[in-house]
Structure formats: C-alpha cells, structure tokens
Amino acid sequence: MSNETPGLRESKKRETRQLISDHATRLFMAQGFEATTIAEIADAARVAKKTVTNYFPRKEDMALDHQDAFAASLADTVAARRGGESALTALRRAFDADVAARNPVAGFAGANFSRMVDASPTLSACLRGLHDRREEELARALAEATGASPEDIAPRTAAALLTAAHRVLFQRIQQLTLAGRTNDEIARVVAEEADTAFALLEPALADYAVA
C-alpha cells in the first residue's frame, strides 16, 4: 500500500495533469495542433501514452484546459451578483474587471495561443462549442434567478443576447491579438467597444434578473 496521503496523491495528479497540458500546448504552438501526436506529447512529458489519455480523453482538452471555468463564467457571475444588481449590470462589471486583469478567459490568451487556435479547425470548433455551453449554463442560472422554468423562453432569450455580446467581444480580442496589437492596446479598444455592445442590451435587459 502507498504511504501517500489522499491530499498528496491529489496534488501529484494535478501536477501531472498540468505537466502534460503544458508540454502539449508548447508542441501545439510549435508544430500545429493537428500535426502533434499523443506519442510526442507523452515523450515530452516523460509519461506513458495511456497516462496522457487517462488525464485527457480528447486531445483538444490539453490545449483548452480551462473549459469548465469558461463555460461556467457567466452563470457564476449572475449567481454572485450584488443586491439590487441586474444580470446585465453584474456581467458588465465582471467583463470590465476581466479586461482590466487581461484575463485569458475573456480572450487575452496571447498571440501564440491565439494563432494555434485560429489555425486549427478542431480547436476552433471546440471553442464554438464552449461558447454554446456557456450560453446554456447562463440560461439555467437566469431561470433560477428569476424563478422561471428552464424551458421558459425568457431566460433562454436573455442568455442568447448576453452571450452574443460576450462572444463578439471575445472574438474582437482574438482578432486584435492576431493583428499584432498589445494587450494594453486591445484593452483600450475593447473597453470602448464594450460600452457600445452592452448599451445595446440596456433597453431589453436593464431590469431583468435583479437580485
């Protein structure tokens, strides 16, 4: 039997997972996602191929390894909104904070990473799926916040509108990153464009899902 405590085992698992992800991302950026094999990743991380696939059943999970945090981000913001704050206001405040922090979840992932995703049909499709997941999770959070049925059209429509704004702004950050703009330049541009994007939602959602 192992003398390791459960906490130590979990810590080692997290370290191994991060090691594999780091080596995989480095290889993806250097030679392309589709061109990189599981065997190459395993060799770089000095683990068995089976270890790689045990931690990451899909190859794209190694490149986009914060999928759950991304998908839950808008729903979590709504759930944690302040008293008297609408869902729109809370999401706008959170987006401003993400831009100020240059948060990768908002799109500030760096030029090499952005090029890697843009060049890969698989990763681009996976990212679109993550945006869809984020919309679904937000719709559930809005239904809970307003006491509506999950099948009600109102929270689903509100989620579609709110995630559309975030999707456009995310894509704008990616576009500016690929154009060679610095994060500081991107933040200034996107902060102004976010004013326009969120203002367009005010007439419909200013008083929706107020805590």
Side-chain angles (χ1 to χ4, degrees), residues 147-191:
S149 161
E151 299 304 315
D152 193 302
I153 196 68
R156 289 158 56 199
T157 303
L161 292 170
L162 290 163
T163 51
H166 282 82
R167 192 185 301 238
V168 167
L169 292 167
F170 183 97
Q171 291 169 342
R172 183 67 168 137
I173 293 169
Q174 294 293 288
Q175 178 188 41
L176 293 168
T177 299
L178 293 170
R181 305 288 285 274
T182 68
N183 277 350
D184 288 345
E185 291 173 332
I186 294 167
R188 284 194 294 272
V189 171
V190 172

Side-chain angles (χ1 to χ4, degrees), residues 72-82 85 87 90-94:
S73 58
L74 303 187
D76 288 347
T77 295
V78 168
R81 68 200 186 286
R82 299 166 181 170
E85 198 171 47
L91 290 168
R92 175 64 200 275
R93 174 173 54 79

Side-chain angles (χ1 to χ4, degrees), residues 12 14 26 42 48 65 149 181:
K12 286 189 173 182
R14 287 193 297 270
R26 176 179 58 79
D65 60 342
S149 161
R181 305 288 285 274

Side-chain angles (χ1 to χ4, degrees), residues 23-38 40-41 59-60 62-63 112-123:
H23 280 290
T25 301
R26 176 179 58 79
L27 288 169
F28 294 154
M29 290 192 293
Q31 59 193 39
F33 176 81
E34 273 79 12
T36 302
T37 67
I38 298 297
E40 289 174 318
I41 295 166
K59 193 168 79 166
E60 53 265 41
M62 286 180 269
N112 290 336
F113 189 88
S114 296
R115 281 194 292 269
M116 175 190 75
V117 174
D118 185 64
S120 167
T122 302
L123 293 180

Side-chain angles (χ1 to χ4, degrees), residues 186-202:
I186 294 167
R188 284 194 294 272
V189 171
V190 172
E192 292 182 5
E193 293 181 341
D195 287 337
T196 300
F198 287 108
L200 287 170
L201 301 180
E202 285 283 345

